[in-house]
């Protein structure tokens, strides 16, 4: 079974994302901050990562940069989340190695479309 890491400091976002990924056959692990996300990635590289840009201890940009520099870190499909419609933030994420960007709040249809766009389903 493929694994998805959902890294977001909001327990509500993690719960919603978990439900959506599990409905597509993924096993889900959760991180509530950037450092925890990297620790989980070091233990087992997931197939997909839903990564929030604003988290404690380490923001999503730093996590993305560290991930892409790791051996095998180019493999996960990263969907980078932002709460604001800030084109500079989204462009920075894409330039930093995100496969797709997604604005919060999202629903089942939106996340499923993004998963499809990056080839996860």
């Amino acid at each position: 079974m493929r694994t998805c890491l959902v890294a977001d400091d909001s327990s509500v976002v993690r719960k919603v994302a978990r439900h959506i990924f599990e409905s597509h056959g993924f096993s889900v692990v959760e991180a509530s901050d950037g450092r925890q996300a990297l620790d989980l990635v070091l233990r087992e590289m997931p197939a997909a990562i839903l990564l929030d840009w604003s988290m404690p201890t380490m923001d999503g940009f730093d996590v993305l940069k560290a991930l892409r520099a790791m051996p095998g870190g180019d493999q996960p499909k990263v969907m980078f989340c932002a709460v604001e419609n800030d084109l500079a933030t989204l462009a920075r994420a894409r330039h930093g190695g995100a496969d797709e960007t997604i604005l919060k709040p999202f629903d089942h249809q939106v996340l499923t479309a993004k998963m499809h766009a990056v080839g996860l389903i």
Side-chain angles (χ1 to χ4, degrees), residues 41-80:
V41 166
L42 286 170
R43 283 187 225 147
E44 181 182 347
M45 193 65 72
I49 300 174
L50 184 66
L51 181 62
D52 185 26
W53 80 276
S54 179
M55 293 184 291
T57 70
M58 194 175 196
D59 71 23
F61 295 112
D62 291 337
V63 172
L64 182 60
K65 182 179 177 181
L67 168 73
R68 293 306 194 207
M70 291 178 187
D74 59 335
Q75 296 302 308
K77 298 296 184 184
V78 176
M79 290 168 284
F80 199 89

